[in-house]
Amino acid sequence: MSQADVVWRRRQRRETRHLLVSVLPGALWIFIFLVLPSAYLMSVAFMTNGGFGQPQMPLTLDAFRNLAGFGFLGWSPGNLYTLWRSIFQSVISLALVVLVAYPVAWYISLCRPRLRAIMLLAVVVPSWTNQVIRAFGWMNLLSPGTPLSSLAEKMGLIAPNMGLFPSDFAVTLGLVYNFLPFMVLPLYAAFEKLDHAQIEAARDLYASPLRTFFVAVLPQTLPGLLAGSVLVAIPAFGMYVIPELLGGGRSQMLGNLVASQFGEAANWPLGAAGALLMLLATLMGLFILRRMGRRLGGGTEMVI
């Protein structure tokens, strides 16, 4: 073996050691705090519920049957209603977030650079506050006797002396407020790359504003829309704090169902099955985003 080969091998071993030193802490962190808990959660979902709620052998699919509504008293649609409410709330919240975020991101992208930074900061700063504190703020704003509740009462939207909180409306409003920055930022990044020549060409061809949006704006901002949709819909699907506080226990979603099974309901396998369902929904959303990103030529990955 020549001297050059020896030097090259030493260099390779040194680079390998440096790589292990830099990667190993992060890999251990992910393995200990993500992989192991997820593996344990998956195993608990297939165990039998013990007398005090703790999982025990033998392995069974009872937790998934209970999640589908089948129990020792027969079939009950309660859990399916919770699942449907989670899907409905996440879809409605996503649609409202998109309707609000598009004009906001468009306006910010047209501002002067200095003002643009201030407006982006104004969008992001509320998310720095604890989610529970923000939810309590909305509880105070929507309680009976507040201006918003009084206005809704005068318009006949709610019964007298009944506030907008707790209600499904309060939950939807809280979800939209909470996840709006997660849609504005990807859309803003997409608007930054917008080719305004296409918009001008559509206007020169006498396209209506709506037609211009669907032909010239939406295709260019679709990567940002897809990225924001994943960042909004998946967390909203498993949200716990907002339905618990703004719903007043009457608008239970999948996250509340999972939390109750690990708490007062004392059914860890059922809670693990619900958590596994949320994990699968997350992976499915990321898989769909990746497939659509490939069709768009990798634009979605760039936005993320």
Side-chain angles (χ1 to χ4, degrees):
M1 183 181 298
S2 64
Q3 184 67 23
D5 292 336
V6 173
V7 173
W8 180 80
R9 288 179 180 272
R10 288 177 180 176
R11 183 181 301 173
Q12 287 292 103
R13 286 196 293 267
R14 190 183 308 114
E15 292 178 355
T16 302
R17 285 196 299 267
H18 291 167
L19 181 62
L20 288 176
V21 169
S22 60
V23 172
L24 190 59
L28 285 176
W29 181 275
I30 293 175
F31 180 77
I32 294 174
F33 294 104
L34 180 62
V35 176
L36 287 182
S38 299
Y40 175 71
L41 190 69
M42 293 179 63
S43 64
V44 169
F46 293 95
M47 291 184 179
T48 304
N49 186 36
F52 298 96
Q54 289 81 5
Q56 62 184 24
M57 300 299 286
L59 298 179
T60 178
L61 295 176
D62 287 345
F64 296 95
R65 296 191 187 97
N66 294 337
L67 190 62
F70 295 95
F72 65 93
L73 294 178
W75 183 76
S76 173
N79 290 341
L80 293 182
Y81 284 155
T82 300
L83 179 60
W84 165 247
R85 187 182 296 112
S86 301
I87 297 173
F88 179 78
Q89 283 283 14
S90 60
V91 170
I92 292 298
S93 301
L94 175 61
L96 293 176
V97 165
V98 171
L99 290 177
V100 176
Y102 250 105
V104 171
W106 168 254
Y107 179 77
I108 293 176
S109 67
L110 297 179
C111 293
R112 299 191 306 272
R114 183 176 300 178
L115 182 60
R116 196 181 306 164
I118 296 175
M119 297 190 69
L120 284 175
L121 190 63
V123 171
V124 174
V125 163
S127 63
W128 295 355
T129 308
N130 187 278
Q131 193 177 86
V132 177
I133 297 176
R134 285 181 284 156
F136 272 105
W138 279 112
M139 290 167 62
N140 293 327
L141 289 174
L142 302 176
S143 297
T146 58
L148 290 176
S149 296
S150 300
L151 178 61
E153 182 179 333
K154 291 180 181 180
M155 296 176 63
L157 300 176
I158 57 176
N161 301 321
M162 295 291 292
L164 293 169
F165 154 79
S167 64
D168 289 337
F169 169 78
V171 174
T172 303
L173 184 60
L175 291 174
V176 171
Y177 170 76
N178 187 75
F179 292 111
L180 183 61
F182 297 98
M183 181 63 74
V184 171
L185 295 180
L187 284 178
Y188 168 77
F191 277 121
E192 281 283 278
K193 306 172 185 177
L194 195 67
D195 183 8
H196 291 271
Q198 296 187 29
I199 301 177
E200 295 298 327
R203 290 174 177 172
D204 291 341
L205 295 174
Y206 302 101
S208 64
L210 188 62
R211 178 70 174 173
T212 301
F213 172 78
F214 282 106
V215 172
V217 177
L218 181 60
Q220 297 187 71
T221 57
L222 191 57
L225 175 62
L226 293 176
S229 298
V230 172
L231 295 175
V232 171
I234 293 177
F237 178 70
M239 179 55 64
Y240 168 76
V241 172
I242 292 176
E244 184 72 17
L245 296 178
L246 296 181
R250 298 186 300 181
S251 299
Q252 191 180 60
M253 294 175 63
L254 187 58
N256 307 95
L257 176 64
V258 171
S260 65
Q261 300 308 314
F262 284 102
E264 62 272 13
N267 191 338
W268 286 24
L270 179 57
L276 184 59
L277 179 61
M278 289 192 291
L279 180 62
L280 292 176
T282 302
L283 295 177
M284 185 180 300
L286 294 175
F287 174 75
I288 293 174
L289 176 67
R290 186 175 181 83
R291 290 291 299 271
M292 298 189 72
R294 287 178 177 177
R295 292 184 180 182
L296 293 171
T300 306
E301 287 89 343
M302 293 171 58
V303 171
I304 294 179

